[in-house]
Amino acid sequence: MEATQQQVSLGETIILTENLNKTYKLGTENVEVLKNINLTIKQGEFVSIMGPSGSGKSTLLYLLGGLDNPTSGSVKIAGKELSVMKDKEKSIMRRRDVGFVFQFYNLIPNLDVEDNIMLPILLDGKKIKDYRKKLDDILDVVGLTDRRKYTPRELSGGQQQRVAIARALINEPEVILADEPIGNLDSKTGQEVMELLKRINLENGKTIVQVTHSSDAASYGQRIIYVKDGKVVEE
């Protein structure tokens, strides 16, 4: 596919971590999940984070998105330090500045495709009618215009993940964080989803950070960061 051969021009630093650490307490034992992670990710980059199970890669993604708090160190998104934000500010940041795509889609079963996509707009207190044109455009991008009134149970796994990607895009975030985005899909469908994410990166200039254990999925990134035992071991 031609899009995978192109390069997007990179902008300023949009994600910055400094000496990022995360420790969990299990009984009387402290378990270090992340150890002194220092990352710089530019606007418009597509970055893949790889590592074995238990390496800390998903924890890192949750810290980048403000879904979890570091034990020490800092995370900055577009120059904003997450640790000094109040919970309400973090919620607004997650709705407006960051889009999330998870392995298991996290769609609302009794809502149709349109309503699932528009959920972040509702939660943000915005007017649905102001986003109708945007919704049409996104449905076209993810190839679901003819499925807009279907519920998740009427869709394939790949189509459900496309709905999740559309939902992540509706608020026009700067960053999309994807946790094993094709981990629940067969290889052909997974390739189609990865091609879609690559196209969104190239044509819309979105910064994408994905966590994956798949070398095929990782190869869609411009840069691969390897994490092992809570440390960045190679780029």
Side-chain angles (χ1 to χ4, degrees), residues 14-34:
I14 193 162
I15 298 175
L16 180 68
T17 75
E18 294 179 307
N19 301 322
L20 196 62
N21 292 276
K22 181 65 181 181
T23 301
Y24 290 107
K25 199 167 186 67
L26 289 177
T28 58
E29 187 180 354
N30 289 325
V31 178
E32 290 183 284
V33 181
L34 293 175

Side-chain angles (χ1 to χ4, degrees), residues 166-181:
R167 181 184 57 195
L169 286 170
I170 192 67
N171 254 335
E172 298 188 335
E174 293 293 328
V175 176
I176 294 175
L177 302 179
D179 188 11
E180 298 284 6

Side-chain angles (χ1 to χ4, degrees), residues 29-134:
E29 187 180 354
N30 289 325
V31 178
E32 290 183 284
V33 181
L34 293 175
K35 306 163 188 174
N36 290 321
I37 302 289
N38 292 284
L39 293 179
T40 301
I41 296 172
K42 300 286 190 181
Q43 169 70 44
E45 265 197 296
F46 190 150
V47 175
S48 299
I49 300 174
M50 284 194 77
S53 295
S55 61
K57 60 187 186 297
S58 288
T59 299
L60 175 57
L61 197 78
Y62 296 156
L63 293 180
L64 296 182
L67 295 171
D68 198 0
N69 298 315
T71 305
S72 63
S74 70
V75 177
K76 291 180 181 176
I77 302 285
K80 303 173 190 172
E81 169 61 60
L82 268 57
S83 67
V84 300
M85 288 184 180
K86 297 176 181 175
D87 287 343
K88 186 176 181 181
E89 291 175 312
K90 272 190 186 177
S91 294
I92 292 171
M93 183 274 297
R94 285 193 294 265
R95 286 199 301 271
R96 298 179 184 176
D97 300 332
V98 181
F100 294 92
V101 178
F102 297 100
Q103 179 177 350
F104 295 104
Y105 324 132
N106 292 354
L107 303 179
I108 308 298
N110 60 332
L111 295 183
D112 63 22
V113 167
E114 283 189 352
D115 290 341
N116 266 290
I117 293 171
M118 294 298 247
L119 204 54
I121 302 302
L122 281 171
L123 293 172
D124 217 16
K126 296 174 181 174
K127 294 178 180 177
I128 293 290
K129 63 182 178 66
D130 294 339
Y131 283 80
R132 284 295 171 192
K133 175 65 168 62
K134 181 71 178 171

